[in-house]
Amino acid sequence: MKKLKRSGRLVDMTNFMLEHPHQLVSLKYFSERYQSAKSSISEDLTIVKEIFEEEGIGELLTVPGASGGVKYIPTVDASAAEAFVHELCTQLQDESRILPGGYLYMMDILGRPSTMNQIGRLFAALFKDRDVDAIMTVATKGIPLAHAIGTYLDVPVSIVRRDHRVTEGSVVSINYVSGSSKRMQTMSLARRSLEEGANVLIVDDFMKAGGTAKGMVDLLSEFRAEVAGIATLVEAADVSERLVEDYVSIARLSEVNEKDRRITVEPGNYVNQLKEVLGE
Amino acid sequence: MKKLKRSGRLVDMTNFMLEHPHQLVSLKYFSERYQSAKSSISEDLTIVKEIFEEEGIGELLTVPGASGGVKYIPTVDASAAEAFVHELCTQLQDESRILPGGYLYMMDILGRPSTMNQIGRLFAALFKDRDVDAIMTVATKGIPLAHAIGTYLDVPVSIVRRDHRVTEGSVVSINYVSGSSKRMQTMSLARRSLEEGANVLIVDDFMKAGGTAKGMVDLLSEFRAEVAGIATLVEAADVSERLVEDYVSIARLSEVNEKDRRITVEPGNYVNQLKEVLGE
């Protein structure tokens, strides 16, 4: 790479940090990349850090010492997050989303990568200090959100299936009871797709009684893995008995009235939990 | 936003452009955001453009006129792309990937968001001028790659299912013949998840004879939609009759020898097609 002036270094360094979240980058690396003294690099990083923190892009942690360096931790600004959540609730209340049977059409939202990335950033900010090693979701609709969170936390995603796939080698399967339909179901995960002892964030697009989430918790124990948290985009409010307790939701669906064509969606518990993490 | 110096503007502007690929941003927007004259903003953008182009981050197109502005188009450097493809082929040749029946284990690669994003960027660079309106993939394994491409092209993703989902309203289904097993199968897409007349990029993780891709082409014609291209991560080489012709692959799997524990993977046609697009 050719020698750059400060202005050029700032552009390249910003791109580099954004592409390497949660990774420790040594000053030496930047010093060699830009053929510049470590003192200049430190000054550059101070500028990047200031803007990242002011604009709610993230934290830039400095790790001192010989093996030290700098680490970019994606975060969000609490008021921007709150505004986003309200806007999403408004979108979800659009009556054209009502499907026969009182279901809610969400594929447009789940299929919009920019929206998934924004929500992924929200969850990554909330779980930034929980030492998440991996993300687990169940096929199909949770996958985009799981990958978006995985991007910002820089951790891999394991996909649980509701069937047995013979093509992935040794598989661990469990039976679980769907909380809402009370039916017995099966979920499976390839043995090699999750490391033993991993600290795992469970992700799904929608949670009713929490049967699927509870199934994933049970599946994790088969892998001797830990539950770092449970994150869902939307939770249903009218649930008599919740099968999991400690979860985070962006939005809460309290009513789908087919007759009056009315959907009621309110913010979930995410924003309050974020404020606790941010100490606000 | 408080008034920033050039150094601060460059950091924020770089982040902003990276978060808004393929979107036209007016100079007026930046001028107001930073409370700076358009002439200063233009100078900032010249610096960002220079670094983006030198480092293979992307193009920064300037659209002149009253409704003009600047647009960030993610691209890749051809030699960096070539090195990445070779490294991926080496990873795929690891004999521990051999599964019973001669299948290849790829879930670790498909489950690594940073790798999916890199491959997503490769395809987004190749299809940057093809006016892609949407991406279509089939559940489950193609979803992470489809969303990664969608992120860099800023287009939505539609997920085709191999079953009928009653919860998504009106559904379009077709029968298709799997090229390798010759079995008749069904694929379905919710009517409202794709706009009529859209120009659609078909994405999958693996292509053998191309039966699934051909099915998606046929499904698109039911939506009066156009095929912008077909992108696959890995194609199988030993195919007597290919059901689709015009496709791009990152890697080509030519042999899985269970007995000798040997996998042979070579680069697909991606790099050559990229060089054509880049005029190299």
Side-chain angles (χ1 to χ4, degrees):
Chain A
M1 184 159 181
K2 75 168 197 187
K3 197 163 160 58
L4 296 178
K5 285 192 286 193
R6 164 145 298 151
S7 55
R9 291 200 304 267
L10 289 172
V11 172
D12 189 73
M13 209 177 252
T14 299
N15 175 62
F16 189 92
M17 294 314 301
L18 292 173
E19 294 238 307
H20 297 86
H22 283 270
Q23 289 175 44
L24 188 66
V25 185
S26 68
L27 290 198
K28 185 163 166 283
Y29 174 81
F30 281 134
S31 174
E32 287 174 359
R33 183 176 174 94
Y34 304 125
Q35 303 154 57
S36 301
K38 284 190 186 170
S39 57
S40 305
I41 300 297
S42 283
E43 288 168 29
D44 297 342
L45 288 168
T46 304
I47 297 169
V48 175
K49 181 185 171 75
E50 198 184 310
I51 300 295
F52 273 30
E53 292 180 357
E54 268 171 24
E55 297 308 311
I57 299 168
E59 298 163 6
L60 218 60
L61 299 181
T62 310
V63 180
S67 61
V70 64
K71 198 189 266 190
Y72 157 57
I73 312 289
T75 58
V76 284
D77 174 78
S79 62
E82 200 160 6
F84 175 84
V85 170
H86 276 97
E87 163 59 24
L88 190 70
C89 290
T90 305
Q91 282 183 39
L92 285 168
Q93 291 190 115
D94 182 337
E95 62 163 79
S96 72
R97 296 186 177 279
I98 298 177
L99 292 171
Y103 288 97
L104 189 69
Y105 184 79
M106 300 208 298
M107 281 307 288
D108 57 331
I109 289 169
L110 299 175
R112 210 185 296 140
S114 58
T115 303
M116 286 299 103
N117 292 337
Q118 279 177 291
I119 301 171
R121 174 184 277 274
L122 296 189
F123 282 122
L126 185 66
F127 290 100
K128 69 188 170 65
D129 300 322
R130 298 260 202 111
D131 296 321
V132 175
D133 297 313
I135 289 170
M136 176 189 260
T137 189
V138 70
T140 310
K141 292 183 190 166
I143 299 174
L145 180 56
H147 264 264
I149 304 174
T151 291
Y152 288 107
L153 288 177
D154 191 39
V155 297
V157 176
S158 296
I159 299 175
V160 174
R161 304 186 60 114
R162 290 181 211 266
D163 52 23
H164 300 270
R165 284 288 286 195
V166 289
T167 64
E168 285 162 19
S170 154
V171 163
V172 179
S173 294
I174 61 155
N175 292 321
Y176 71 103
V177 178
S178 155
S180 33
S181 70
K182 306 277 184 204
R183 276 186 307 144
M184 183 70 91
Q185 307 205 39
T186 301
M187 58 168 70
S188 318
L189 183 64
R191 170 68 70 188
R192 65 202 279 183
S193 83
L194 186 67
E195 288 197 26
E196 274 212 359
N199 193 32
V200 181
L201 176 61
I202 291 172
V203 172
D204 211 351
D205 63 310
F206 191 83
M207 187 167 98
K208 207 162 177 181
T212 305
K214 175 70 165 52
M216 285 195 270
V217 169
D218 293 345
L219 189 54
L220 282 182
S221 74
E222 292 294 321
F223 282 82
R224 298 175 210 277
E226 303 288 327
V227 181
I230 300 173
T232 185
L233 177 55
V234 179
E235 63 165 311
D238 62 333
V239 171
S240 53
E241 198 195 352
R242 191 80 65 180
L243 298 172
V244 291
E245 279 174 14
D246 205 11
Y247 63 88
V248 193
S249 67
I250 300 286
R252 183 182 317 218
L253 176 65
S254 55
E255 189 191 18
V256 180
N257 188 319
E258 274 190 271
K259 193 163 143 282
D260 300 341
R261 308 285 300 164
R262 188 177 61 238
I263 304 171
T264 312
V265 180
E266 59 208 58
N269 60 356
Y270 171 81
V271 173
N272 284 340
Q273 296 211 20
L274 177 72
K275 285 177 177 168
E276 267 180 43
V277 165
L278 299 180
E280 286 176 18
Chain B
M1 185 159 180
K2 74 168 199 187
K3 196 161 160 62
L4 296 176
K5 285 192 288 192
R6 164 146 298 152
S7 55
R9 291 200 304 266
L10 288 172
V11 172
D12 188 75
M13 208 177 253
T14 299
N15 175 63
F16 189 92
M17 294 312 303
L18 292 173
E19 295 237 308
H20 297 86
H22 282 270
Q23 288 175 45
L24 187 66
V25 185
S26 68
L27 290 197
K28 183 162 167 283
Y29 174 81
F30 280 133
S31 174
E32 286 172 0
R33 183 176 174 94
Y34 304 126
Q35 302 153 58
S36 301
K38 283 191 187 168
S39 56
S40 304
I41 300 297
S42 283
E43 288 168 29
D44 297 342
L45 287 169
T46 304
I47 298 169
V48 175
K49 180 184 171 76
E50 197 184 313
I51 300 294
F52 273 30
E53 291 181 357
E54 268 172 22
E55 297 308 311
I57 298 167
E59 298 164 5
L60 217 60
L61 299 183
T62 309
V63 181
S67 63
V70 63
K71 197 188 266 190
Y72 157 56
I73 311 290
T75 57
V76 285
D77 173 78
S79 62
E82 198 159 9
F84 176 85
V85 169
H86 275 97
E87 163 60 25
L88 190 72
C89 289
T90 305
Q91 282 182 39
L92 286 168
Q93 290 190 116
D94 182 337
E95 62 163 82
S96 71
R97 297 188 175 278
I98 298 178
L99 292 170
Y103 289 97
L104 189 69
Y105 184 78
M106 299 208 300
M107 281 307 287
D108 58 330
I109 289 170
L110 299 175
R112 210 185 296 141
S114 58
T115 303
M116 284 300 102
N117 292 337
Q118 279 177 291
I119 301 171
R121 174 184 276 276
L122 296 189
F123 281 122
L126 186 65
F127 291 100
K128 68 186 170 69
D129 300 321
R130 298 260 201 113
D131 294 321
V132 175
D133 296 313
I135 289 169
M136 176 188 261
T137 188
V138 71
T140 310
K141 292 182 188 165
I143 299 175
L145 179 57
H147 264 265
I149 304 173
T151 291
Y152 289 108
L153 287 178
D154 191 39
V155 297
V157 177
S158 297
I159 299 175
V160 174
R161 302 187 61 114
R162 290 182 211 267
D163 51 23
H164 300 270
R165 285 286 288 193
V166 289
T167 66
E168 285 162 19
S170 153
V171 162
V172 179
S173 294
I174 61 154
N175 292 320
Y176 71 103
V177 179
S178 154
S180 32
S181 71
K182 307 277 183 204
R183 276 185 306 145
M184 184 69 92
Q185 306 203 42
T186 301
M187 58 169 70
S188 318
L189 183 64
R191 170 69 69 188
R192 65 201 277 182
S193 83
L194 185 67
E195 289 196 26
E196 274 212 0
N199 193 31
V200 181
L201 176 61
I202 291 172
V203 173
D204 211 350
D205 63 311
F206 191 83
M207 187 168 99
K208 207 164 177 178
T212 304
K214 175 69 164 51
M216 285 195 271
V217 169
D218 293 345
L219 190 53
L220 282 182
S221 74
E222 292 293 321
F223 282 81
R224 297 175 210 276
E226 302 289 327
V227 181
I230 300 173
T232 184
L233 178 54
V234 179
E235 63 165 310
D238 62 332
V239 170
S240 53
E241 197 195 353
R242 192 79 65 180
L243 297 174
V244 291
E245 278 176 15
D246 204 12
Y247 64 89
V248 193
S249 68
I250 300 286
R252 184 183 318 224
L253 176 64
S254 55
E255 190 191 18
V256 180
N257 187 321
E258 274 190 272
K259 192 162 145 284
D260 300 341
R261 309 285 299 164
R262 189 178 60 238
I263 303 171
T264 311
V265 180
E266 59 208 58
N269 60 356
Y270 171 82
V271 174
N272 283 340
Q273 295 211 19
L274 178 72
K275 284 178 178 168
E276 266 178 45
V277 165
L278 299 179
E280 286 178 19

